[in-house]
Amino acid sequence: MTNSPNSDSTPHQSHIEAGSSSGVMADTISGSFVIGSLTIIHSNTTSSAKPGETPQNLTNNIGANPYQGLRAFQERDSDRFFGRDALIKELWWRFQNLQVDPKTVRILPIYGASGSGKSSLALAGLIPEIGKQPFPGRNQGRVAVLNPSTHPLKALAIMLAKFATGDSVPAQKALEFEDILWSLDKQENFHGLHHIACTLPEIANSPLIILVDQFEEIYTVGQENRAECDAFVENLLCAASDHSQYVSVIITMRSDFLGKTQQHPRLNKLFSSQGYLVPIIQVEELQLAITEPAKMAGYEFDQVTVNRLIRESKGKESALPLLQFVLYEIWEQRREGAEPAETLDNLGGVGGALAKKAKETYDSLKEQKDKQKIARQIFLELIQINDNNEYTRRRVPIAKLTKPGQDTKLIRSVISYFAKTGEWILITSSNDQQVEIIEIAHEVLINEWQDLKTWLGNQRENLIKKRKIEQAAEEWQQAKNSNDYLFEKRRLRDAQEFIQDQKDNSEISLSSLATSFIKISQKKDRQKLFKSGLIF
C-alpha cells in the first residue's frame, strides 16, 4: 500500500465557508447546506435542541456549551471536532485514492467499536475535508447522508429525488426512483442507482457521494425486508464500480457486525481490502478533544481535571460518547458556578456519569408511576435483539409507540422529558417523509444503565416473540392486507397465547397494527372452520 501523507500536530478545525458557486447550488436544493465545494442533504433532521442552547441567565458568565453530549458530531460541528486530525487525513487520502483508477470500486468502509466515533469521524471530519480538498478535476460535489433503517431503497430514492428536483418532499419522483432502484439490467445487476446518477444535473462536474451511516441496520432492523436490503447493497456496488466515476460510497458500521457482511460477498471483500478500522482514541487525541473546545469558548480546564478525564477515558472503546457527555455536564455545572472536579465527583467520573443521569431522570418520575411505566415501555421498544442475542438501538416512529387504549399526549410528554435539552437520553428527529422518529441517544446507554439492562433481561423472551408478531403484521400490511400473510394454525395459537399471557403487561403489549392483524387472522380462521363444518 502507498504511504499515507504525514499529519501535522495542529488541532483540526475544518469549518469551511461556502464558496459562491456552491452557494448557488445550495439555493436550488431545498433543505441542503454547503461545506466548501460540497452540497449536503440528510435523510434525518434532528428536531431536538442542539448543544449550546442552554439558559443564559446563570450566575457564572461562561459561554455556550461547546461539547456534544451523546449526539454524534455533524458536518456543521466540524469546528468543534478535535483530536482526530491524523485519522481525517488518512481517510481523505484513502478516499482520494479510490478516484484514481476508474476500475476501482469506490466504496470506503469505516468501521469500529460502538462509541469509537466512526460516525463523527465521517461526518465532521472526512466530509468537511473533502469539501476543502475536492476530487481532482471536479470543482463541486454533492453528499447524500442516510441511515438505512427498515427501508433503505426508499430512503435512497428520496435523497436522489431531492437532488433531481430541488424539492424537500419530492413524493412522486421518489416513487419513480424507487421503482428504478428495484430494476435489473440484462446482466441481472441492480443498475438503478447508476442510471439515476447519470441523469442528475452537472453530474460530470459534481459527482455524488453517498454516506451510509450506521450500516449495521442492514443486518438488524433491515432483516425485516431482506430483499430490499440486498437490492440496496447491490445498487451501491454497481454504481460505485462503474467507470464513469459518478458515484462514490462511504459506509460507517460497528465492527462487531463484520461477520454479517458475508451475506454480501463482494462487499465483504471490500471491507477486507479497502476498509478502515477506527482505532481507540489515544492520550494526545483525548487531550485535544477535552481542552480545545473549551479554549474556543474562552475557558481553560485545570490540568488536574484534564489528567483525570484522560485517565478514566483512555483504553476504553466507548470513551468518546462518555467523555463528551461528562464534559457537557461539567460545562453546564460550571455555568452555575461549580468547579469541574466537584462535578466529576458528583457524577461518579466518566464511567458513571451517563448511567447516573439516566437513573436520576427515570427516578425523578417515581411519584408518577404511570409515566415510569410508559418510560419502561418506550425504552424496551427502542432496543433491537439481534440473532447473536446482542442488543442494539432501534429507530422507531413515535406514532407506533402508542398502544391501543393509551393516551398519545402522555406518551409524548414522557418522550419530551427524556429528550429535553441537557438530558440527551432520547433523540427525536424527522425523516424524509416528515415522520417523527425516536431513538436512544447512544448504544453506550444499553451497557451503562443497570435499570435498562434489568428490564431487558426480564423481558427478553417476550420481546423476541412480540417483534416476530409485529414483523409479520408489517409484512401483511406491505402485501396490501393479503389473506395469504395472515396467521393460522400453530402461529395463530402462539400469538393468541402471547396476548393472553401479556394482557396485564402493557410494557410488552402489541402495536395497534399487530393487534388488528391478529384479530383479522382469528376472523379468517373462524370462517374456515365454519365452512369446513358446512361441508362436513
PDB file of all heavy atoms in Angstrom, residues 388-401:
ATOM      1  N   ASN A 388     -27.487 -12.825  17.397  1.00  0.00           N
ATOM      2  CA  ASN A 388     -26.454 -13.292  18.341  1.00  0.00           C
ATOM      3  C   ASN A 388     -26.774 -12.889  19.777  1.00  0.00           C
ATOM      4  O   ASN A 388     -25.907 -12.926  20.652  1.00  0.00           O
ATOM      5  CB  ASN A 388     -25.084 -12.749  17.939  1.00  0.00           C
ATOM      6  CG  ASN A 388     -25.092 -11.220  17.835  1.00  0.00           C
ATOM      7  OD1 ASN A 388     -26.102 -10.572  18.077  1.00  0.00           O
ATOM      8  ND2 ASN A 388     -23.955 -10.661  17.468  1.00  0.00           N
ATOM      9  N   ASN A 389     -28.054 -12.476  19.986  1.00  0.00           N
ATOM     10  CA  ASN A 389     -28.550 -12.108  21.313  1.00  0.00           C
ATOM     11  C   ASN A 389     -27.909 -10.843  21.875  1.00  0.00           C
ATOM     12  O   ASN A 389     -27.989 -10.582  23.070  1.00  0.00           O
ATOM     13  CB  ASN A 389     -28.369 -13.256  22.316  1.00  0.00           C
ATOM     14  CG  ASN A 389     -29.286 -14.422  22.001  1.00  0.00           C
ATOM     15  OD1 ASN A 389     -30.405 -14.238  21.544  1.00  0.00           O
ATOM     16  ND2 ASN A 389     -28.798 -15.629  22.224  1.00  0.00           N
ATOM     17  N   GLU A 390     -27.272 -10.048  21.016  1.00  0.00           N
ATOM     18  CA  GLU A 390     -26.749  -8.760  21.441  1.00  0.00           C
ATOM     19  C   GLU A 390     -27.815  -7.690  21.234  1.00  0.00           C
ATOM     20  O   GLU A 390     -28.725  -7.836  20.415  1.00  0.00           O
ATOM     21  CB  GLU A 390     -25.484  -8.404  20.666  1.00  0.00           C
ATOM     22  CG  GLU A 390     -24.286  -9.265  21.033  1.00  0.00           C
ATOM     23  CD  GLU A 390     -23.017  -8.769  20.372  1.00  0.00           C
ATOM     24  OE1 GLU A 390     -23.105  -7.825  19.559  1.00  0.00           O
ATOM     25  OE2 GLU A 390     -21.940  -9.316  20.665  1.00  0.00           O
ATOM     26  N   TYR A 391     -27.667  -6.600  21.959  1.00  0.00           N
ATOM     27  CA  TYR A 391     -28.633  -5.512  21.889  1.00  0.00           C
ATOM     28  C   TYR A 391     -28.053  -4.338  21.098  1.00  0.00           C
ATOM     29  O   TYR A 391     -26.898  -3.965  21.280  1.00  0.00           O
ATOM     30  CB  TYR A 391     -28.999  -5.022  23.296  1.00  0.00           C
ATOM     31  CG  TYR A 391     -29.630  -6.075  24.181  1.00  0.00           C
ATOM     32  CD1 TYR A 391     -29.008  -6.473  25.364  1.00  0.00           C
ATOM     33  CD2 TYR A 391     -30.839  -6.656  23.839  1.00  0.00           C
ATOM     34  CE1 TYR A 391     -29.590  -7.428  26.186  1.00  0.00           C
ATOM     35  CE2 TYR A 391     -31.425  -7.619  24.653  1.00  0.00           C
ATOM     36  CZ  TYR A 391     -30.797  -8.005  25.826  1.00  0.00           C
ATOM     37  OH  TYR A 391     -31.369  -8.954  26.633  1.00  0.00           O
ATOM     38  N   THR A 392     -28.870  -3.758  20.234  1.00  0.00           N
ATOM     39  CA  THR A 392     -28.529  -2.515  19.543  1.00  0.00           C
ATOM     40  C   THR A 392     -29.737  -1.585  19.613  1.00  0.00           C
ATOM     41  O   THR A 392     -30.848  -2.013  19.897  1.00  0.00           O
ATOM     42  CB  THR A 392     -28.158  -2.749  18.066  1.00  0.00           C
ATOM     43  OG1 THR A 392     -29.251  -3.414  17.401  1.00  0.00           O
ATOM     44  CG2 THR A 392     -26.904  -3.598  17.942  1.00  0.00           C
ATOM     45  N   ARG A 393     -29.509  -0.303  19.353  1.00  0.00           N
ATOM     46  CA  ARG A 393     -30.643   0.625  19.391  1.00  0.00           C
ATOM     47  C   ARG A 393     -31.484   0.477  18.138  1.00  0.00           C
ATOM     48  O   ARG A 393     -31.015   0.028  17.089  1.00  0.00           O
ATOM     49  CB  ARG A 393     -30.154   2.057  19.568  1.00  0.00           C
ATOM     50  CG  ARG A 393     -29.189   2.558  18.526  1.00  0.00           C
ATOM     51  CD  ARG A 393     -28.748   3.957  18.837  1.00  0.00           C
ATOM     52  NE  ARG A 393     -27.675   4.371  17.949  1.00  0.00           N
ATOM     53  CZ  ARG A 393     -27.218   5.610  17.877  1.00  0.00           C
ATOM     54  NH1 ARG A 393     -27.741   6.547  18.621  1.00  0.00           N
ATOM     55  NH2 ARG A 393     -26.229   5.904  17.057  1.00  0.00           N
ATOM     56  N   ARG A 394     -32.696   0.898  18.252  1.00  0.00           N
ATOM     57  CA  ARG A 394     -33.699   0.714  17.195  1.00  0.00           C
ATOM     58  C   ARG A 394     -34.410   2.047  16.973  1.00  0.00           C
ATOM     59  O   ARG A 394     -34.851   2.689  17.913  1.00  0.00           O
ATOM     60  CB  ARG A 394     -34.675  -0.369  17.661  1.00  0.00           C
ATOM     61  CG  ARG A 394     -35.792  -0.756  16.726  1.00  0.00           C
ATOM     62  CD  ARG A 394     -36.495  -1.994  17.302  1.00  0.00           C
ATOM     63  NE  ARG A 394     -37.602  -2.432  16.473  1.00  0.00           N
ATOM     64  CZ  ARG A 394     -38.889  -2.288  16.788  1.00  0.00           C
ATOM     65  NH1 ARG A 394     -39.217  -1.724  17.949  1.00  0.00           N
ATOM     66  NH2 ARG A 394     -39.838  -2.711  15.989  1.00  0.00           N
ATOM     67  N   ARG A 395     -34.503   2.474  15.735  1.00  0.00           N
ATOM     68  CA  ARG A 395     -35.163   3.733  15.387  1.00  0.00           C
ATOM     69  C   ARG A 395     -36.645   3.449  15.100  1.00  0.00           C
ATOM     70  O   ARG A 395     -36.964   2.630  14.238  1.00  0.00           O
ATOM     71  CB  ARG A 395     -34.483   4.340  14.168  1.00  0.00           C
ATOM     72  CG  ARG A 395     -34.829   5.779  13.902  1.00  0.00           C
ATOM     73  CD  ARG A 395     -34.047   6.330  12.737  1.00  0.00           C
ATOM     74  NE  ARG A 395     -32.637   6.420  13.055  1.00  0.00           N
ATOM     75  CZ  ARG A 395     -31.703   5.637  12.526  1.00  0.00           C
ATOM     76  NH1 ARG A 395     -32.025   4.707  11.658  1.00  0.00           N
ATOM     77  NH2 ARG A 395     -30.445   5.786  12.847  1.00  0.00           N
ATOM     78  N   VAL A 396     -37.549   4.128  15.813  1.00  0.00           N
ATOM     79  CA  VAL A 396     -38.979   3.807  15.736  1.00  0.00           C
ATOM     80  C   VAL A 396     -39.789   5.084  15.517  1.00  0.00           C
ATOM     81  O   VAL A 396     -39.526   6.098  16.171  1.00  0.00           O
ATOM     82  CB  VAL A 396     -39.452   3.123  17.048  1.00  0.00           C
ATOM     83  CG1 VAL A 396     -40.953   2.843  17.010  1.00  0.00           C
ATOM     84  CG2 VAL A 396     -38.686   1.826  17.286  1.00  0.00           C
ATOM     85  N   PRO A 397     -40.794   5.065  14.618  1.00  0.00           N
ATOM     86  CA  PRO A 397     -41.704   6.207  14.506  1.00  0.00           C
ATOM     87  C   PRO A 397     -42.454   6.423  15.817  1.00  0.00           C
ATOM     88  O   PRO A 397     -42.949   5.463  16.423  1.00  0.00           O
ATOM     89  CB  PRO A 397     -42.668   5.784  13.384  1.00  0.00           C
ATOM     90  CG  PRO A 397     -41.912   4.764  12.598  1.00  0.00           C
ATOM     91  CD  PRO A 397     -41.061   4.037  13.594  1.00  0.00           C
ATOM     92  N   ILE A 398     -42.533   7.662  16.257  1.00  0.00           N
ATOM     93  CA  ILE A 398     -43.195   7.966  17.527  1.00  0.00           C
ATOM     94  C   ILE A 398     -44.641   7.489  17.514  1.00  0.00           C
ATOM     95  O   ILE A 398     -45.159   6.997  18.528  1.00  0.00           O
ATOM     96  CB  ILE A 398     -43.115   9.476  17.819  1.00  0.00           C
ATOM     97  CG1 ILE A 398     -41.658   9.869  18.123  1.00  0.00           C
ATOM     98  CG2 ILE A 398     -44.017   9.870  18.976  1.00  0.00           C
ATOM     99  CD1 ILE A 398     -41.448  11.347  18.381  1.00  0.00           C
ATOM    100  N   ALA A 399     -45.301   7.595  16.369  1.00  0.00           N
ATOM    101  CA  ALA A 399     -46.711   7.194  16.281  1.00  0.00           C
ATOM    102  C   ALA A 399     -46.908   5.721  16.619  1.00  0.00           C
ATOM    103  O   ALA A 399     -47.982   5.328  17.106  1.00  0.00           O
ATOM    104  CB  ALA A 399     -47.248   7.486  14.881  1.00  0.00           C
ATOM    105  N   LYS A 400     -45.890   4.896  16.405  1.00  0.00           N
ATOM    106  CA  LYS A 400     -46.024   3.458  16.647  1.00  0.00           C
ATOM    107  C   LYS A 400     -45.842   3.088  18.120  1.00  0.00           C
ATOM    108  O   LYS A 400     -46.025   1.930  18.500  1.00  0.00           O
ATOM    109  CB  LYS A 400     -45.013   2.676  15.802  1.00  0.00           C
ATOM    110  CG  LYS A 400     -45.338   2.660  14.319  1.00  0.00           C
ATOM    111  CD  LYS A 400     -44.435   1.711  13.558  1.00  0.00           C
ATOM    112  CE  LYS A 400     -44.826   1.639  12.084  1.00  0.00           C
ATOM    113  NZ  LYS A 400     -43.973   0.684  11.338  1.00  0.00           N
ATOM    114  N   LEU A 401     -45.462   4.061  18.948  1.00  0.00           N
ATOM    115  CA  LEU A 401     -45.254   3.773  20.364  1.00  0.00           C
ATOM    116  C   LEU A 401     -46.564   3.734  21.150  1.00  0.00           C
ATOM    117  O   LEU A 401     -46.616   3.193  22.248  1.00  0.00           O
ATOM    118  CB  LEU A 401     -44.320   4.813  20.983  1.00  0.00           C
ATOM    119  CG  LEU A 401     -42.871   4.787  20.501  1.00  0.00           C
ATOM    120  CD1 LEU A 401     -42.094   5.942  21.117  1.00  0.00           C
ATOM    121  CD2 LEU A 401     -42.207   3.472  20.844  1.00  0.00           C
TER     122      LEU A 401
END
